Structures are given as structure tokens and as C-alpha cells.
Amino acid sequence: MVPRYSRPAMSAIWAPENRYRIWFEIEALACEAMAELGEIPKESARTIRERGDAAMAAFSSADLDRIDAIEAETRHDVIAFLTWLAEKIGPDSRFVHLGMTSSDVLDTCLAVQLTQATDILLEGLDSVLVALKKQAFAHKYTLTIGRSHAIHAEPTSFGLKMAGHYAEFVRNRERLLTARAEIATCAISGAVGTFAHLDPKIEEFVAAKLGLKIEPVSTQVIPRDRHAAYFCALAVIASGIERLATEVRHLQRSEVREAEEFFHPGQKGSSAMPHKRNPVLSENLTGLARLIRSHVVPALENVALWHERDISHSAVERNICPDGTIGLDFALARLAGMMDKLVVYPEQMAANLESLGGVVHSGEVLLALARAGVLREDAYKIVQRCAMATWTKLGKPEGRSFRENLGDDPDIVGKVAPEVLDAAMDSRAHLKAVDARFRLVFGEPGPAA
């Protein structure tokens, strides 16, 4: 991922220094397990640990250059690292990587990196949840118009909108935890995964030390269905980000202006039009979501490797693992900040709610007529007739409100009391279930209205 959309902590996970540090840790732990089993001298395992730790602590750009130079000759990244490590450790390096294959190191390292990355993503999700809960409770009883097909439907609560997104991100957090558990898998099984040259206790030891579980049958690589499921989880989270970002983009439209991204002092929206206040953060989040979702198909196609292993997945994962996690980390941080500082305009929400002359209350009026004994089909025709009379003359001198048209309709006069019609036009009736919904989402209803 380009630096513009990268944050230091997540980027560091995918830096060569961290990768080589994990590679060494896997090799050192395997040696320590072999020493415990009596397969190599314990003194050699201590030497490997001490000299390797010192080499990793002093790791510099010169070491990177040395490994790259070796790889340029060997055309093999793991061998290049092991050759460099041997230079640092000395004769005892003959016990490093004993009986192991490259994928034991590569796949187990990737599992560690993905779990490290996931822990940061979980923190990002928690920040989003905090911001959404703040907005949900702040606007629990803030009336706004609900829209279906982008058209005014019935009143709702802006807080309830935010609670819905909160509930979605709670589910996303659960999905990510599941993905983390599935990806946190170790394989130290040797060539084609038969343990011909390794005691399975070595794998158990390494896995326990790294906080991973054991892959039941690694074949030589960890099966890529785990990785495919992981990237599907990231994609679902990205889609949740886009859904919320799209909502903000629509609410910030000049014709709507019910909420908008915080506009910083000194910020400029357009090089040509000084008045512009564009939803640049939510638009950016929409674009990042597209990138993150684009990794799903390559991850799924990685599942079908040839026989016990091939490396057709390698180039894919070298790109999508850092880019996917770095991109989502940045997106979550941006979303949390955007929602925390979201500027909400309750007065504009109220104005928009009544901007169609009250026709948004047609559903409640329909029910009132039905309760008064009017057949539903007849009631629908009556209410629609009155609503369309208002709709088609909005803003015109001869225009009348929905309530006025209802009050004068001959099929309503004498059948429905005026106070019943008035009650049907009260937007606050749409708040009656908010407390119950908040209990379901947050476990608490919040302050009373």
C-alpha cells in the first residue's frame, strides 16, 4: 500500500525486519524443541538463540543488503536468510532448519503476521464502535426522514440509523475474531507434510510458543481456504465501511445537508470553487473498500494449489496480505475519526422531514382509516389521492398540505375524527420502539426522551 494510506504500526508488521525476526524465532524455537528431544546439543540451541537474538537486535540496512545480495545469487529467499544467519551464528548453524522445508517458515510466519495485523484491526474496529455509540446516543431521539429507494418514506431516528451501523460493526468484529482464530495456524511438518524428518512434538512446541494452533494436515503448505476466509472477512468489513460512508455522502449532499464531515480550519474543498465542502473522507473510504474487496477473488483462487504445494499463491499473498491489512487499518482509523467528528443538523432533518407537506405520514393515516372501518383497498386509494394532490402542487400558490387535503376529503369527513388524523401526523410515534432497539444493540436504552 502506498504511504498515503499506511499507518506506521501496521506497515511495520510487513517490513522485512519483522519478517526476518519472525523467521529467526521459528527457527530458534524449532532448535530448542529439538534440543529438548535430544536431537541436537542443548549448547548448540543456546548458541543459536543467543547469537541469533544479537544479530536480530543489531539488524540494519546493511544486513538487508547482504540478504538481498545472497538471494540475487541463490534465487531463494529462505536460503538467502539462512545463509546470512549462518554467517552470524557460526558452526552451530548446521542445526538450523534441520528437517524443515521453506513453507514451514513462510506459512507459520505469515500466520504470525496476520494475527499481529488482526490485533491492530480489532483495535480499529473498537474505535469505530466507540464513535458510532457516541453518535447513536447523542441523537437517539433526533427525528429524521427514513428513505427507501432514496425517496422519503417514514420518520425514523438518526440515533437508530447509527445503532444499525454499530450492530453491523459488532458482527464484523465477531467475523474478524473468527478469521483470526482460523488463520492462527502453525505448520512445521517438513517436505510434503509427512514429518519424515521431524518429530511432531517440534511443531507442537513452536505452535505453543507462538500462540498458534496446529494445522491438522499441512501437505507442505497450510491449506489456503483459511486465507480465503480471512480475506472474505476483510471484504465484508470493507463493505460495512462503504455502506456507512455512502450514507454520509448522501446526507452531505447540498439538497439534503442533514450531516457532514467536519471541515477543518484552513481546509479547502476545491481549487476552483471556494465555497465547496466536499465529503472527501467518505469518498476515500468508498475507494479503499473497493481495493480491499478486490483481494477476495485472488485469495479464493489460491485455494486450488497443485498436489502438496506450488507457489502460485506466493506472489498474490505478497501483495494482498500487506495491502489488505494496511488498507483496512487506515480505513478503520479514518472512519472512526470521521464519525467521531460528524456534524449533525437536527433542524435540517426536521425541515426535510416535513418538506413534502406531510405526505410521509401516509402510512399511519392508512392505518387510521382501516381502524375506523374503511376497507384497506379503499383507504389506500383515498390516502394516495390526498397525498398526490399535495405532492404535485408542492411549492405552488395553490398547494395544500396533506393534512388539509385529508381534512376536506369527502370520504374521510365524518369517518375519522380530526384528532385521530392529527395523531397520525405526529412524527414522535415513530420513536416508540427506539428504547427496545437500543437495549438489543447496546444492552441499555440510554436516557429517557
Side-chain angles (χ1 to χ4, degrees):
M1 183 61 71
V2 296
R4 184 182 183 89
Y5 302 121
S6 305
R7 301 203 308 157
M10 185 64 85
S11 296
I13 290 172
W14 303 104
E17 294 86 350
N18 188 52
R19 181 174 71 252
Y20 291 141
R21 197 172 294 115
I22 297 169
W23 283 10
F24 168 70
E25 187 64 23
I26 293 167
E27 297 285 4
L29 287 173
C31 288
E32 289 166 357
M34 292 177 196
E36 288 297 318
L37 293 170
E39 295 181 1
I40 69 172
K42 290 187 176 181
E43 184 58 38
S44 295
R46 280 194 293 271
T47 299
I48 291 166
R49 168 62 73 183
E50 291 170 2
R51 293 186 180 179
D53 277 344
M56 296 313 304
F59 200 86
S60 67
S61 58
D63 294 296
L64 281 177
D65 292 342
R66 174 58 182 152
I67 295 172
D68 288 345
I70 299 170
E71 185 178 356
E73 179 182 350
T74 62
R75 311 284 179 129
H76 196 292
D77 54 353
V78 175
I79 291 175
F81 172 75
L82 293 173
T83 302
W84 169 86
L85 188 61
E87 294 172 352
K88 301 295 182 179
I89 291 173
D92 285 314
S93 65
R94 68 187 185 277
F95 298 116
V96 175
H97 206 69
L98 199 64
M100 295 168 61
T101 189
S102 298
S103 292
D104 292 334
V105 179
L106 294 171
D107 280 9
T108 301
C109 173
L110 182 58
V112 173
Q113 287 176 297
L114 286 173
T115 54
Q116 290 176 344
T118 305
D119 289 340
I120 293 177
L121 294 177
L122 288 166
E123 292 175 3
L125 280 169
D126 288 341
S127 297
V128 170
L129 289 170
V130 168
L132 287 173
K133 184 174 182 179
K134 168 188 168 182
Q135 294 293 355
F137 278 95
H139 297 286
K140 183 179 179 184
Y141 302 109
T142 300
L143 282 162
T144 189
I145 188 63
R147 297 173 173 89
S148 56
H149 306 278
I151 304 299
H152 285 203
E154 290 192 351
T156 185
S157 149
F158 186 71
L160 193 61
K161 274 180 179 272
M162 295 297 99
H165 288 284
Y166 179 95
E168 180 177 358
F169 277 97
V170 168
R171 295 192 296 273
N172 281 332
R173 194 181 195 283
E174 293 169 353
R175 291 182 182 109
L176 190 58
L177 284 171
T178 299
R180 186 193 187 282
E182 187 169 9
I183 206 70
T185 306
C186 172
I188 308 290
S189 56
V192 302
T194 63
F195 294 94
H197 313 295
L198 291 164
D199 191 313
K201 292 179 181 178
I202 297 169
E203 183 183 59
E204 294 173 9
F205 181 89
V206 175
K209 291 292 185 179
L210 294 177
L212 306 174
K213 62 179 178 293
I214 295 167
E215 176 58 49
V217 180
S218 58
T219 72
Q220 185 162 322
V221 294
I222 293 175
R224 258 46 195 180
D225 62 290
R226 296 181 181 275
H227 304 75
Y230 183 86
F231 282 96
C232 285
L234 297 195
V236 172
I237 296 170
S239 293
I241 291 173
E242 184 177 15
R243 186 172 84 90
L244 180 51
T246 299
E247 181 71 17
V248 172
R249 291 171 68 187
H250 283 309
L251 295 179
Q252 189 164 336
R253 286 162 48 213
S254 303
E255 299 83 1
V256 179
R257 202 167 172 268
E258 294 179 357
E260 68 174 345
E261 298 172 8
F262 179 76
F263 200 76
H264 292 266
Q267 183 175 346
K268 293 176 174 60
S270 167
S271 62
M273 297 167 284
H275 74 279
K276 294 296 291 297
R277 293 161 70 101
N278 299 329
V280 292
L281 300 180
S282 48
E283 289 176 341
N284 172 246
L285 289 171
T286 298
L288 287 171
R290 293 170 184 167
L291 278 176
I292 295 162
R293 284 196 302 270
S294 73
H295 298 152
V296 170
V297 171
L300 290 170
E301 291 178 343
N302 277 352
V303 175
L305 301 181
W306 284 19
H307 306 301
E308 278 60 53
R309 78 156 296 191
D310 65 48
I311 64 163
S312 59
H313 64 289
S314 177
V316 174
E317 291 173 354
R318 288 175 191 264
N319 283 275
I320 68 173
C321 290
D323 282 5
T325 54
I326 291 172
L328 186 56
D329 172 55
F330 182 89
L332 289 169
R334 171 151 287 184
L335 181 65
M338 182 181 81
M339 295 312 297
D340 181 66
K341 294 183 177 180
L342 187 71
V343 182
V344 179
Y345 299 110
E347 297 83 2
Q348 185 63 30
M349 289 180 179
N352 286 346
L353 197 157
E354 297 298 342
S355 64
L356 299 184
V359 298
V360 296
H361 302 293
S362 68
E364 190 66 28
V365 174
L366 173 64
L367 294 175
L369 289 179
R371 294 188 188 104
V374 181
L375 292 176
R376 192 182 190 283
E377 284 301 312
D378 293 338
Y380 194 101
K381 292 176 183 177
I382 295 167
V383 174
Q384 187 179 47
R385 180 174 68 228
C386 293
M388 292 304 103
T390 297
W391 179 283
T392 56
K393 295 182 180 180
L394 282 172
K396 297 178 181 179
E398 67 274 21
R400 304 177 78 221
S401 72
F402 183 48
R403 177 66 182 84
E404 290 171 326
N405 287 331
L406 289 169
D408 292 342
D409 192 282
D411 290 325
I412 294 179
V413 174
K415 294 182 180 179
V416 181
E419 57 269 23
V420 173
L421 292 176
D422 291 338
M425 306 288 288
D426 188 349
S427 297
R428 291 173 297 179
H430 296 269
L431 298 175
K432 62 184 179 182
V434 170
D435 279 353
R437 295 296 98 182
F438 267 59
R439 286 191 188 94
L440 282 175
V441 175
F442 303 105
E444 53 181 316

